[in-house]
PDB file of all heavy atoms in Angstrom:
ATOM      1  N   LEU A  82     -41.943 -45.785 -55.105  1.00  0.00           N
ATOM      2  CA  LEU A  82     -40.624 -46.374 -54.900  1.00  0.00           C
ATOM      3  C   LEU A  82     -39.953 -46.346 -56.305  1.00  0.00           C
ATOM      4  O   LEU A  82     -40.372 -47.062 -57.207  1.00  0.00           O
ATOM      5  CB  LEU A  82     -40.711 -47.770 -54.364  1.00  0.00           C
ATOM      6  CG  LEU A  82     -39.421 -48.497 -54.078  1.00  0.00           C
ATOM      7  CD1 LEU A  82     -38.628 -47.804 -53.007  1.00  0.00           C
ATOM      8  CD2 LEU A  82     -39.704 -49.936 -53.699  1.00  0.00           C
ATOM      9  N   VAL A  83     -38.934 -45.501 -56.444  1.00  0.00           N
ATOM     10  CA  VAL A  83     -38.243 -45.356 -57.739  1.00  0.00           C
ATOM     11  C   VAL A  83     -36.942 -46.177 -57.603  1.00  0.00           C
ATOM     12  O   VAL A  83     -36.077 -45.875 -56.762  1.00  0.00           O
ATOM     13  CB  VAL A  83     -37.890 -43.868 -58.028  1.00  0.00           C
ATOM     14  CG1 VAL A  83     -37.200 -43.736 -59.361  1.00  0.00           C
ATOM     15  CG2 VAL A  83     -39.192 -43.018 -58.002  1.00  0.00           C
ATOM     16  N   LEU A  84     -36.829 -47.191 -58.426  1.00  0.00           N
ATOM     17  CA  LEU A  84     -35.711 -48.131 -58.346  1.00  0.00           C
ATOM     18  C   LEU A  84     -34.709 -47.804 -59.474  1.00  0.00           C
ATOM     19  O   LEU A  84     -35.072 -47.482 -60.577  1.00  0.00           O
ATOM     20  CB  LEU A  84     -36.195 -49.548 -58.510  1.00  0.00           C
ATOM     21  CG  LEU A  84     -37.286 -50.002 -57.538  1.00  0.00           C
ATOM     22  CD1 LEU A  84     -37.831 -51.388 -57.954  1.00  0.00           C
ATOM     23  CD2 LEU A  84     -36.753 -50.063 -56.133  1.00  0.00           C
ATOM     24  N   VAL A  88     -31.468 -52.651 -59.792  1.00  0.00           N
ATOM     25  CA  VAL A  88     -31.787 -52.990 -58.399  1.00  0.00           C
ATOM     26  C   VAL A  88     -32.037 -54.509 -58.276  1.00  0.00           C
ATOM     27  O   VAL A  88     -32.553 -55.149 -59.201  1.00  0.00           O
ATOM     28  CB  VAL A  88     -33.008 -52.171 -57.925  1.00  0.00           C
ATOM     29  CG1 VAL A  88     -34.290 -52.664 -58.516  1.00  0.00           C
ATOM     30  CG2 VAL A  88     -33.091 -52.208 -56.388  1.00  0.00           C
ATOM     31  N   GLN A  89     -31.599 -55.038 -57.146  1.00  0.00           N
ATOM     32  CA  GLN A  89     -31.846 -56.425 -56.834  1.00  0.00           C
ATOM     33  C   GLN A  89     -32.452 -56.478 -55.456  1.00  0.00           C
ATOM     34  O   GLN A  89     -31.774 -56.317 -54.436  1.00  0.00           O
ATOM     35  CB  GLN A  89     -30.558 -57.230 -56.852  1.00  0.00           C
ATOM     36  CG  GLN A  89     -29.903 -57.222 -58.201  1.00  0.00           C
ATOM     37  CD  GLN A  89     -28.518 -57.869 -58.158  1.00  0.00           C
ATOM     38  OE1 GLN A  89     -28.156 -58.568 -57.231  1.00  0.00           O
ATOM     39  NE2 GLN A  89     -27.755 -57.624 -59.186  1.00  0.00           N
ATOM     40  N   VAL A  90     -33.767 -56.629 -55.378  1.00  0.00           N
ATOM     41  CA  VAL A  90     -34.475 -56.548 -54.084  1.00  0.00           C
ATOM     42  C   VAL A  90     -34.447 -57.953 -53.473  1.00  0.00           C
ATOM     43  O   VAL A  90     -35.165 -58.834 -53.841  1.00  0.00           O
ATOM     44  CB  VAL A  90     -35.934 -56.074 -54.273  1.00  0.00           C
ATOM     45  CG1 VAL A  90     -36.661 -56.032 -52.973  1.00  0.00           C
ATOM     46  CG2 VAL A  90     -35.964 -54.721 -54.949  1.00  0.00           C
ATOM     47  N   SER A  91     -33.567 -58.073 -52.487  1.00  0.00           N
ATOM     48  CA  SER A  91     -33.400 -59.337 -51.762  1.00  0.00           C
ATOM     49  C   SER A  91     -34.337 -59.359 -50.551  1.00  0.00           C
ATOM     50  O   SER A  91     -34.982 -58.369 -50.182  1.00  0.00           O
ATOM     51  CB  SER A  91     -31.946 -59.462 -51.260  1.00  0.00           C
ATOM     52  OG  SER A  91     -31.701 -58.504 -50.291  1.00  0.00           O
ATOM     53  N   GLU A  92     -34.364 -60.493 -49.905  1.00  0.00           N
ATOM     54  CA  GLU A  92     -35.171 -60.638 -48.704  1.00  0.00           C
ATOM     55  C   GLU A  92     -34.670 -59.671 -47.594  1.00  0.00           C
ATOM     56  O   GLU A  92     -35.485 -59.069 -46.888  1.00  0.00           O
ATOM     57  CB  GLU A  92     -35.163 -62.097 -48.179  1.00  0.00           C
ATOM     58  CG  GLU A  92     -36.155 -62.319 -47.038  1.00  0.00           C
ATOM     59  CD  GLU A  92     -37.611 -61.990 -47.399  1.00  0.00           C
ATOM     60  OE1 GLU A  92     -38.036 -62.212 -48.538  1.00  0.00           O
ATOM     61  OE2 GLU A  92     -38.268 -61.432 -46.515  1.00  0.00           O
ATOM     62  N   ALA A  93     -33.332 -59.533 -47.446  1.00  0.00           N
ATOM     63  CA  ALA A  93     -32.800 -58.585 -46.478  1.00  0.00           C
ATOM     64  C   ALA A  93     -33.220 -57.143 -46.811  1.00  0.00           C
ATOM     65  O   ALA A  93     -33.552 -56.408 -45.918  1.00  0.00           O
ATOM     66  CB  ALA A  93     -31.266 -58.700 -46.428  1.00  0.00           C
ATOM     67  N   TRP A  94     -33.239 -56.799 -48.070  1.00  0.00           N
ATOM     68  CA  TRP A  94     -33.670 -55.466 -48.503  1.00  0.00           C
ATOM     69  C   TRP A  94     -35.118 -55.239 -48.099  1.00  0.00           C
ATOM     70  O   TRP A  94     -35.462 -54.184 -47.586  1.00  0.00           O
ATOM     71  CB  TRP A  94     -33.482 -55.310 -49.990  1.00  0.00           C
ATOM     72  CG  TRP A  94     -33.472 -53.895 -50.522  1.00  0.00           C
ATOM     73  CD1 TRP A  94     -32.347 -53.142 -50.741  1.00  0.00           C
ATOM     74  CD2 TRP A  94     -34.605 -53.113 -50.886  1.00  0.00           C
ATOM     75  NE1 TRP A  94     -32.749 -51.914 -51.198  1.00  0.00           N
ATOM     76  CE2 TRP A  94     -34.105 -51.859 -51.294  1.00  0.00           C
ATOM     77  CE3 TRP A  94     -35.975 -53.325 -50.878  1.00  0.00           C
ATOM     78  CZ2 TRP A  94     -34.974 -50.827 -51.716  1.00  0.00           C
ATOM     79  CZ3 TRP A  94     -36.805 -52.297 -51.305  1.00  0.00           C
ATOM     80  CH2 TRP A  94     -36.292 -51.071 -51.699  1.00  0.00           C
ATOM     81  N   ARG A  95     -35.972 -56.229 -48.352  1.00  0.00           N
ATOM     82  CA  ARG A  95     -37.385 -56.123 -48.030  1.00  0.00           C
ATOM     83  C   ARG A  95     -37.584 -55.963 -46.494  1.00  0.00           C
ATOM     84  O   ARG A  95     -38.399 -55.209 -46.045  1.00  0.00           O
ATOM     85  CB  ARG A  95     -38.153 -57.327 -48.537  1.00  0.00           C
ATOM     86  CG  ARG A  95     -38.273 -57.338 -50.026  1.00  0.00           C
ATOM     87  CD  ARG A  95     -39.071 -58.525 -50.503  1.00  0.00           C
ATOM     88  NE  ARG A  95     -38.936 -58.580 -51.922  1.00  0.00           N
ATOM     89  CZ  ARG A  95     -38.977 -59.695 -52.618  1.00  0.00           C
ATOM     90  NH1 ARG A  95     -39.179 -60.827 -52.034  1.00  0.00           N
ATOM     91  NH2 ARG A  95     -38.848 -59.663 -53.940  1.00  0.00           N
ATOM     92  N   ARG A  96     -36.814 -56.716 -45.706  1.00  0.00           N
ATOM     93  CA  ARG A  96     -36.913 -56.588 -44.254  1.00  0.00           C
ATOM     94  C   ARG A  96     -36.543 -55.187 -43.809  1.00  0.00           C
ATOM     95  O   ARG A  96     -37.213 -54.582 -42.939  1.00  0.00           O
ATOM     96  CB  ARG A  96     -36.031 -57.594 -43.571  1.00  0.00           C
ATOM     97  CG  ARG A  96     -36.584 -59.054 -43.596  1.00  0.00           C
ATOM     98  CD  ARG A  96     -35.812 -59.944 -42.629  1.00  0.00           C
ATOM     99  NE  ARG A  96     -34.375 -59.921 -42.812  1.00  0.00           N
ATOM    100  CZ  ARG A  96     -33.701 -60.774 -43.604  1.00  0.00           C
ATOM    101  NH1 ARG A  96     -34.301 -61.679 -44.297  1.00  0.00           N
ATOM    102  NH2 ARG A  96     -32.387 -60.664 -43.657  1.00  0.00           N
ATOM    103  N   ASN A  97     -35.491 -54.634 -44.404  1.00  0.00           N
ATOM    104  CA  ASN A  97     -35.041 -53.257 -44.037  1.00  0.00           C
ATOM    105  C   ASN A  97     -36.112 -52.243 -44.476  1.00  0.00           C
ATOM    106  O   ASN A  97     -36.370 -51.259 -43.773  1.00  0.00           O
ATOM    107  CB  ASN A  97     -33.697 -52.957 -44.660  1.00  0.00           C
ATOM    108  CG  ASN A  97     -32.585 -53.536 -43.848  1.00  0.00           C
ATOM    109  OD1 ASN A  97     -32.690 -53.649 -42.628  1.00  0.00           O
ATOM    110  ND2 ASN A  97     -31.510 -53.894 -44.522  1.00  0.00           N
ATOM    111  N   TYR A  98     -36.739 -52.454 -45.635  1.00  0.00           N
ATOM    112  CA  TYR A  98     -37.779 -51.581 -46.124  1.00  0.00           C
ATOM    113  C   TYR A  98     -38.956 -51.560 -45.120  1.00  0.00           C
ATOM    114  O   TYR A  98     -39.453 -50.533 -44.694  1.00  0.00           O
ATOM    115  CB  TYR A  98     -38.230 -52.007 -47.507  1.00  0.00           C
ATOM    116  CG  TYR A  98     -39.417 -51.266 -48.048  1.00  0.00           C
ATOM    117  CD1 TYR A  98     -39.234 -50.026 -48.647  1.00  0.00           C
ATOM    118  CD2 TYR A  98     -40.722 -51.766 -47.975  1.00  0.00           C
ATOM    119  CE1 TYR A  98     -40.329 -49.341 -49.172  1.00  0.00           C
ATOM    120  CE2 TYR A  98     -41.786 -51.088 -48.464  1.00  0.00           C
ATOM    121  CZ  TYR A  98     -41.592 -49.898 -49.098  1.00  0.00           C
ATOM    122  OH  TYR A  98     -42.683 -49.190 -49.565  1.00  0.00           O
ATOM    123  N   ASP A  99     -39.362 -52.754 -44.732  1.00  0.00           N
ATOM    124  CA  ASP A  99     -40.495 -52.888 -43.784  1.00  0.00           C
ATOM    125  C   ASP A  99     -40.132 -52.214 -42.424  1.00  0.00           C
ATOM    126  O   ASP A  99     -40.927 -51.532 -41.849  1.00  0.00           O
ATOM    127  CB  ASP A  99     -40.845 -54.320 -43.536  1.00  0.00           C
ATOM    128  CG  ASP A  99     -41.507 -55.002 -44.785  1.00  0.00           C
ATOM    129  OD1 ASP A  99     -41.984 -54.264 -45.678  1.00  0.00           O
ATOM    130  OD2 ASP A  99     -41.454 -56.237 -44.844  1.00  0.00           O
ATOM    131  N   ALA A 100     -38.916 -52.473 -41.996  1.00  0.00           N
ATOM    132  CA  ALA A 100     -38.457 -51.868 -40.736  1.00  0.00           C
ATOM    133  C   ALA A 100     -38.404 -50.344 -40.812  1.00  0.00           C
ATOM    134  O   ALA A 100     -38.773 -49.651 -39.881  1.00  0.00           O
ATOM    135  CB  ALA A 100     -37.071 -52.440 -40.347  1.00  0.00           C
ATOM    136  N   LYS A 114     -33.628 -42.188 -49.406  1.00  0.00           N
ATOM    137  CA  LYS A 114     -32.856 -42.996 -50.310  1.00  0.00           C
ATOM    138  C   LYS A 114     -32.553 -44.325 -49.606  1.00  0.00           C
ATOM    139  O   LYS A 114     -31.930 -44.306 -48.528  1.00  0.00           O
ATOM    140  CB  LYS A 114     -31.554 -42.333 -50.724  1.00  0.00           C
ATOM    141  CG  LYS A 114     -30.801 -43.204 -51.685  1.00  0.00           C
ATOM    142  CD  LYS A 114     -29.619 -42.519 -52.311  1.00  0.00           C
ATOM    143  CE  LYS A 114     -28.982 -43.471 -53.288  1.00  0.00           C
ATOM    144  NZ  LYS A 114     -27.735 -42.987 -53.816  1.00  0.00           N
ATOM    145  N   LEU A 115     -32.993 -45.384 -50.148  1.00  0.00           N
ATOM    146  CA  LEU A 115     -32.854 -46.709 -49.534  1.00  0.00           C
ATOM    147  C   LEU A 115     -31.812 -47.438 -50.295  1.00  0.00           C
ATOM    148  O   LEU A 115     -31.826 -47.557 -51.508  1.00  0.00           O
ATOM    149  CB  LEU A 115     -34.195 -47.444 -49.624  1.00  0.00           C
ATOM    150  CG  LEU A 115     -35.433 -46.664 -49.205  1.00  0.00           C
ATOM    151  CD1 LEU A 115     -36.708 -47.495 -49.405  1.00  0.00           C
ATOM    152  CD2 LEU A 115     -35.319 -46.189 -47.761  1.00  0.00           C
ATOM    153  N   THR A 116     -30.867 -48.028 -49.561  1.00  0.00           N
ATOM    154  CA  THR A 116     -29.763 -48.776 -50.190  1.00  0.00           C
ATOM    155  C   THR A 116     -29.490 -50.061 -49.420  1.00  0.00           C
ATOM    156  O   THR A 116     -29.933 -50.211 -48.286  1.00  0.00           O
ATOM    157  CB  THR A 116     -28.446 -47.946 -50.257  1.00  0.00           C
ATOM    158  OG1 THR A 116     -28.059 -47.620 -48.925  1.00  0.00           O
ATOM    159  CG2 THR A 116     -28.624 -46.689 -51.066  1.00  0.00           C
ATOM    160  N   GLY A 117     -28.761 -50.952 -49.999  1.00  0.00           N
ATOM    161  CA  GLY A 117     -28.330 -52.131 -49.337  1.00  0.00           C
ATOM    162  C   GLY A 117     -29.244 -53.284 -49.540  1.00  0.00           C
ATOM    163  O   GLY A 117     -30.171 -53.286 -50.311  1.00  0.00           O
ATOM    164  N   GLY A 118     -28.945 -54.390 -48.863  1.00  0.00           N
ATOM    165  CA  GLY A 118     -29.764 -55.622 -48.921  1.00  0.00           C
ATOM    166  C   GLY A 118     -29.080 -56.785 -49.528  1.00  0.00           C
ATOM    167  O   GLY A 118     -29.740 -57.719 -49.901  1.00  0.00           O
ATOM    168  N   GLY A 119     -27.793 -56.745 -49.652  1.00  0.00           N
ATOM    169  CA  GLY A 119     -27.010 -57.894 -50.176  1.00  0.00           C
ATOM    170  C   GLY A 119     -26.860 -58.964 -49.139  1.00  0.00           C
ATOM    171  O   GLY A 119     -27.720 -59.151 -48.265  1.00  0.00           O
ATOM    172  N   GLU A 121     -25.737 -61.143 -45.834  1.00  0.00           N
ATOM    173  CA  GLU A 121     -25.738 -60.781 -44.396  1.00  0.00           C
ATOM    174  C   GLU A 121     -24.362 -60.203 -44.034  1.00  0.00           C
ATOM    175  O   GLU A 121     -23.351 -60.668 -44.577  1.00  0.00           O
ATOM    176  CB  GLU A 121     -26.064 -61.966 -43.544  1.00  0.00           C
ATOM    177  CG  GLU A 121     -27.478 -62.461 -43.706  1.00  0.00           C
ATOM    178  CD  GLU A 121     -28.516 -61.426 -43.305  1.00  0.00           C
ATOM    179  OE1 GLU A 121     -28.326 -60.733 -42.299  1.00  0.00           O
ATOM    180  OE2 GLU A 121     -29.558 -61.301 -43.994  1.00  0.00           O
ATOM    181  N   TRP A 142     -30.642 -48.346 -42.715  1.00  0.00           N
ATOM    182  CA  TRP A 142     -29.974 -48.441 -43.996  1.00  0.00           C
ATOM    183  C   TRP A 142     -28.418 -48.403 -43.836  1.00  0.00           C
ATOM    184  O   TRP A 142     -27.708 -48.786 -44.726  1.00  0.00           O
ATOM    185  CB  TRP A 142     -30.443 -47.381 -44.924  1.00  0.00           C
ATOM    186  CG  TRP A 142     -31.915 -47.627 -45.084  1.00  0.00           C
ATOM    187  CD1 TRP A 142     -32.942 -46.932 -44.447  1.00  0.00           C
ATOM    188  CD2 TRP A 142     -32.549 -48.667 -45.823  1.00  0.00           C
ATOM    189  NE1 TRP A 142     -34.121 -47.555 -44.736  1.00  0.00           N
ATOM    190  CE2 TRP A 142     -33.961 -48.579 -45.576  1.00  0.00           C
ATOM    191  CE3 TRP A 142     -32.083 -49.690 -46.639  1.00  0.00           C
ATOM    192  CZ2 TRP A 142     -34.866 -49.451 -46.168  1.00  0.00           C
ATOM    193  CZ3 TRP A 142     -32.998 -50.553 -47.215  1.00  0.00           C
ATOM    194  CH2 TRP A 142     -34.385 -50.436 -46.938  1.00  0.00           C
ATOM    195  N   ILE A 145     -26.247 -52.036 -43.607  1.00  0.00           N
ATOM    196  CA  ILE A 145     -25.871 -52.858 -44.761  1.00  0.00           C
ATOM    197  C   ILE A 145     -24.405 -52.470 -45.137  1.00  0.00           C
ATOM    198  O   ILE A 145     -24.067 -51.328 -45.213  1.00  0.00           O
ATOM    199  CB  ILE A 145     -26.834 -52.568 -45.992  1.00  0.00           C
ATOM    200  CG1 ILE A 145     -28.252 -52.815 -45.569  1.00  0.00           C
ATOM    201  CG2 ILE A 145     -26.431 -53.436 -47.167  1.00  0.00           C
ATOM    202  CD1 ILE A 145     -28.558 -54.204 -45.088  1.00  0.00           C
ATOM    203  N   GLY A 151     -26.361 -52.104 -57.003  1.00  0.00           N
ATOM    204  CA  GLY A 151     -27.659 -52.482 -57.573  1.00  0.00           C
ATOM    205  C   GLY A 151     -28.789 -52.567 -56.585  1.00  0.00           C
ATOM    206  O   GLY A 151     -29.674 -53.369 -56.760  1.00  0.00           O
ATOM    207  N   THR A 152     -28.762 -51.768 -55.548  1.00  0.00           N
ATOM    208  CA  THR A 152     -29.802 -51.866 -54.551  1.00  0.00           C
ATOM    209  C   THR A 152     -30.368 -50.523 -54.132  1.00  0.00           C
ATOM    210  O   THR A 152     -30.996 -50.413 -53.097  1.00  0.00           O
ATOM    211  CB  THR A 152     -29.267 -52.596 -53.309  1.00  0.00           C
ATOM    212  OG1 THR A 152     -28.140 -51.893 -52.815  1.00  0.00           O
ATOM    213  CG2 THR A 152     -28.890 -54.023 -53.605  1.00  0.00           C
ATOM    214  N   ALA A 153     -30.142 -49.483 -54.892  1.00  0.00           N
ATOM    215  CA  ALA A 153     -30.614 -48.151 -54.486  1.00  0.00           C
ATOM    216  C   ALA A 153     -32.033 -47.850 -54.973  1.00  0.00           C
ATOM    217  O   ALA A 153     -32.414 -48.270 -56.057  1.00  0.00           O
ATOM    218  CB  ALA A 153     -29.651 -47.051 -54.977  1.00  0.00           C
ATOM    219  N   ALA A 154     -32.759 -47.130 -54.159  1.00  0.00           N
ATOM    220  CA  ALA A 154     -34.122 -46.724 -54.502  1.00  0.00           C
ATOM    221  C   ALA A 154     -34.399 -45.416 -53.790  1.00  0.00           C
ATOM    222  O   ALA A 154     -33.824 -45.107 -52.778  1.00  0.00           O
ATOM    223  CB  ALA A 154     -35.090 -47.815 -54.056  1.00  0.00           C
ATOM    224  N   ILE A 155     -35.341 -44.678 -54.331  1.00  0.00           N
ATOM    225  CA  ILE A 155     -35.842 -43.424 -53.709  1.00  0.00           C
ATOM    226  C   ILE A 155     -37.306 -43.683 -53.354  1.00  0.00           C
ATOM    227  O   ILE A 155     -38.070 -44.101 -54.188  1.00  0.00           O
ATOM    228  CB  ILE A 155     -35.671 -42.222 -54.630  1.00  0.00           C
ATOM    229  CG1 ILE A 155     -34.215 -41.946 -54.886  1.00  0.00           C
ATOM    230  CG2 ILE A 155     -36.336 -41.001 -54.012  1.00  0.00           C
ATOM    231  CD1 ILE A 155     -33.936 -40.887 -55.890  1.00  0.00           C
ATOM    232  N   LEU A 156     -37.669 -43.415 -52.111  1.00  0.00           N
ATOM    233  CA  LEU A 156     -39.017 -43.588 -51.623  1.00  0.00           C
ATOM    234  C   LEU A 156     -39.603 -42.224 -51.201  1.00  0.00           C
ATOM    235  O   LEU A 156     -38.926 -41.487 -50.521  1.00  0.00           O
ATOM    236  CB  LEU A 156     -38.991 -44.545 -50.424  1.00  0.00           C
ATOM    237  CG  LEU A 156     -40.332 -44.821 -49.768  1.00  0.00           C
ATOM    238  CD1 LEU A 156     -41.218 -45.632 -50.667  1.00  0.00           C
ATOM    239  CD2 LEU A 156     -40.084 -45.585 -48.427  1.00  0.00           C
TER     240      LEU A 156
END
Side-chain angles (χ1 to χ4, degrees):
L82 183 63
V83 181
L84 304 172
V88 73
Q89 298 173 18
V90 179
S91 68
E92 188 57 38
W94 197 95
R95 289 181 190 150
R96 284 192 309 266
N97 281 328
Y98 174 82
D99 292 341
K114 182 172 183 188
L115 313 177
T116 60
E121 292 298 319
W142 301 100
I145 305 300
T152 56
I155 296 174
L156 178 68

